[in-house]
Amino acid sequence: MKNIPSLFLSQAYRDCWDDYNRSLKLKKFPRWDYVILTASNEQQAEGFRKQLEERKSFLPKHTKFVAIPDRDGQRVGSGGATLEVLKYLRSQEESFEKLRVLVIHSGGDSKRVPQYSALGKLFSPVPHKLPNGRNSTLFDEFMICMSSVPSRIREGMVLLSGDVLLLFNPLQIDYNNVGAAAISFKEHVETGKNHGVYLNGENGNVKCCLQKKSVEVLRSVGAVNDSDCVDIDTGALIFSTEMMESLYSLIATPEDYDRHVNAKTRLSLYADFLYPLAEDSTLEEFYKEKPEGEFCPELTAARERVWKVLRPYRMKLLRLAPAKFIHFGTTREILGLMNGGVDEYKDLGWSRIVGSSIKGDTAGYNSVLSSRSTIGEGCYLEVSYVHRNSKIGYHCVLSYIEVSDREIPDNVVLHGLKQRDGSFVVRIFGIGDNPKENKLFGRDLDELEQKLGVRLWENSAHSLWEANLYAEADNIQDGVDAALNLYRIVNDESAADIEQWRNAEKKSLCSGFNAADPDAIIAWNRRMEDLVAMDEITKAIRHKVPAQKLQKRTTLTKIQKEWLKKRLDKSDFGERMRLHYYLGVVLEDENEIQECFHIIQAEMLEATVKSLSYNENARIVTDRHTVNLPLRVNWGGGWSDTPPYCNENGGTVLNVAILLNGKKPVEVTLERIDELKIVFDSRDMDVHGEFDTIEPLQATGDPFDPFALQKACLLACGIIPQKGYKLEDILRRLGGGFVMHSEVTDVPKGSGLGTSSILSAACVKAVFEFTGIDFTEEDLYAHVLAMEQIMSTGGGWQDQVGGATPGLKYISSMPGLKQEIKVTHVELPESARKELDERFVLIYTGQRRLARNLLRDVVGRYVGNEPDSLYALEEIQKTAALMRFELERGNVDGFAKLLDYHWELSKKVDAGSSNTLIEQIFSSIEEMIDGRLVCGAGGGGFLQVILKKGITREDVEKRLNEVFMDSLVGVADCKLVW
């Protein structure tokens, strides 16, 4: 059953998001005039300003964003900080009237979560990717959730606590701009005892403010209802402009300002400004209320003045429901949120993994976890990178850190912090440690100080927060090592290097926070965003996530380009080509995709050329020699022979040689001539070329060269060396010049019958025989493969095998850059041969295959890990093997069914293999055939079918003539060559 309150809040959040976007775009939309962040000191305020600057394009431009530090860098209390805000506003405006002001009190040191001290808990991560794709922080959530509030108040000041996220529907706010209002939710009493609780009066005003009272006390005063819930103090308040004026009167003169805003008086927003607003409050009890600082005469005098100006006002209690109160108070709370608690907010889009490249159960925010590292249960990575060979223990928090080849113990926080002087401090402490106390990993620090004979503190405040424990380092890895050394020292481990720690310059959690470089923190966050995006690509490649599913980007950053260069340098062939392809898809950059195909071609060529050598023993042995070869039809496994698929998976193909019009249509003739030159003559192409120097013959790779095939043949066969030599000397040794005639007769272009590759095979065979070079079938196939790579055609190896020798061939290769082809001549029962001769029919479509970028599309779908393509390519190989099995046992019907299945798989590999005409041809003879498949890549050329028993070629020819009349569509004169 759906969680109704959660769904309600989800809808409320979407409404707030819409209002947030309206505040960005609509000039007259109600928005905050000021958003003011309070900070503990100027360093923290500077960090806030830099974070605001980082977000300026996502913030309402008509709202003024301000960060105000505590006076003179001394803690003046949340009440003093509120007065500082009023002082600033009055310096900017003549009056508070008609102003809508949002104040977020965020000036704490975040002692309980030191990893957030430097930039403040306000900018700590929230496990949520915003609808605009940005990783969220508390500040971002505040801005979104509070974007609907200005329309609910005419004027006034809303104050929030910077470590509490409130999720509620702002439409429930009913405030009449009188006095003050406190926003409250119902929370269990066990939560309420650790916070403030309001006791509601009969008239809807707050009767009493109870700060951190025990459960017994809360029950005794009637603050707990029958469901064991209380009205919790969320830290969210609304002050009217009149009340703002009254508070400002406390600091109207310099003397008054000095009396109320200082480190000694240290007024509290919640203890000093709210208490007088409660109905049951008395001045006598007000004097006793626990202060934010210490009791002193100055505080007593200040409270008397506060009572005088605020007592006339009352505070309305605004109970909102449903609502959520999320406190980011301690590291343990955050770890609990990231390891299960976050599931409660999944309807809001919250997740354990946000903007991270992480596989598995580890929680992460803007982080990378190498799949070759090991990590224990219950860990949380925050703006961190865990490299391969790292071992992370159980229940760890890694924050702003990079770990390589290190072992991190269980139950620790490891936090990296760059200092303004360029050094690094890596702080390590226990998940359960409270820096306000005097323990580290459960060990008493006074005892540790005495044992080590060093001074850990420079003052009397003996707490973990102030202890000088953390060694400075020149880089992050040295900082990690120093932190791990400290862990060993505290835990009395034998591997600890105490002297190294003693001699190092050390900082405390406090001093490290004060010396932090906010620019470096922001830059690290950006860096991790960049690296996450790149690591996601490599993981997508490894886990076969389709490239098309990745988020599009416009360009690569400098960091990403550096990452890519390093990654490419150490990548193997498969990852290298896919990195370029995936980037081409992600960036929509054709150059990257072309680089992918260039790598495929280059790798294939390099692997092939290594085995080539110049043959100095070749001699012309006859004046004239002719080779004629048949064509082929592919029955199973087509595309599995194509690089890079065959290089990574091996290939399996079943094909058979055919005669067309009773002939072997591929012909190559070599003829000796007296002149020391080489002549190429291609009758069907109508081109003629003569060469008396060697350099033009060695120039290959131009796809528009009309003699690319002939040149590649001479290079592959070793007749012409790849470099150097003189053509005259070579031909004199051979015994003369020669003419190479090549021709494919009566075969339409784009037939799908393998003509170009079979012509290559005919050229190689003719050259070998003309020059007296001994060769085997395997030699022939290998040299044709080399030829194809020299020409950079990118095609597979099945065509040349199909036509080079007669009969049915089962052809396979194992994975590897250099493909070694194994050919098995399949023997069929005589009855099966006869049946195939009768039932096999070749049909011409009358159209040439369309000039599509076919090979690129098919290879791109494979390289890009498109699921349909990967599945079909694997199935296609299996189908070829099953076809062989059925034919060897004479089952032509079983073979026909597999041919039909293959046709469906072929369309998954390339949807362009079929078209309206092809489907119409197959449809017109549907009841006459048991199996169908296009020849070659399809899209035109020839089709092949297996007829039903009793159906003749003449029957098919008649049907096609009836449907297509005088077109070129018809049955071809074809004979299988056994």
Side-chain angles (χ1 to χ4, degrees), residues 457-469:
W457 295 277
E458 297 171 0
N459 53 43
S460 58
H462 283 207
S463 67
L464 174 56
W465 179 250
E466 299 283 354
N468 293 311
L469 290 164

Side-chain angles (χ1 to χ4, degrees), residues 779-799:
D779 292 332
L780 176 62
Y781 305 144
H783 282 76
V784 176
L785 265 180
M787 238 185 105
E788 298 275 355
Q789 297 309 325
I790 291 170
M791 288 189 290
S792 299
T793 59
W797 38 249
Q798 70 138 319
D799 293 346

Side-chain angles (χ1 to χ4, degrees), residues 904-915:
E904 298 305 316
L905 293 172
S906 296
K907 288 186 282 187
K908 288 182 182 294
V909 174
D910 172 39
S913 61
S914 188
N915 55 40

Side-chain angles (χ1 to χ4, degrees), residues 33-48:
D33 296 296
Y34 288 89
V35 172
I36 300 178
L37 316 180
T38 65
S40 59
N41 54 39
E42 181 56 35
Q43 287 88 351
Q44 193 178 65
E46 181 188 352
F48 289 171

Side-chain angles (χ1 to χ4, degrees), residues 62-135:
H62 298 292
T63 298
K64 296 177 183 177
F65 289 85
V66 183
I68 300 177
D70 279 355
R71 181 182 182 182
D72 301 326
Q74 297 182 8
R75 305 309 303 275
V76 299
S78 53
T82 303
L83 296 176
E84 286 278 14
V85 170
L86 295 172
K87 181 174 180 289
Y88 169 81
L89 288 172
R90 182 48 57 88
S91 72
Q92 304 295 310
E93 307 284 345
E94 292 183 1
S95 168
F96 298 132
E97 291 183 2
K98 298 183 180 179
L99 287 182
R100 295 186 182 101
V101 181
L102 176 64
V103 178
I104 306 176
H105 279 302
S106 44
D109 290 337
S110 303
K111 291 181 180 179
R112 300 290 297 274
V113 274
Q115 60 269 36
Y116 300 151
S117 297
L119 285 183
K121 203 182 295 182
L122 178 60
F123 290 96
S124 62
V126 169
H128 182 207
K129 185 176 280 291
L130 297 175
N132 62 8
R134 295 176 60 244
N135 300 332

Side-chain angles (χ1 to χ4, degrees), residues 479-499:
V480 170
D481 289 339
L484 295 175
N485 186 45
L486 174 63
Y487 178 87
R488 290 189 288 268
I489 291 171
V490 176
N491 288 281
D492 294 323
E493 295 183 9
S494 59
D497 190 337
I498 297 176
E499 284 306 308

Side-chain angles (χ1 to χ4, degrees), residues 334-366:
I334 292 165
L335 192 59
L337 174 68
M338 296 308 299
N339 285 290
V342 70
D343 295 339
E344 188 175 348
Y345 310 104
K346 63 182 179 181
D347 287 329
L348 293 169
W350 287 29
S351 170
R352 296 175 69 249
I353 300 177
V354 175
S356 296
S357 182
I358 292 176
K359 300 293 180 184
D361 297 328
T362 301
Y365 178 96
N366 196 20

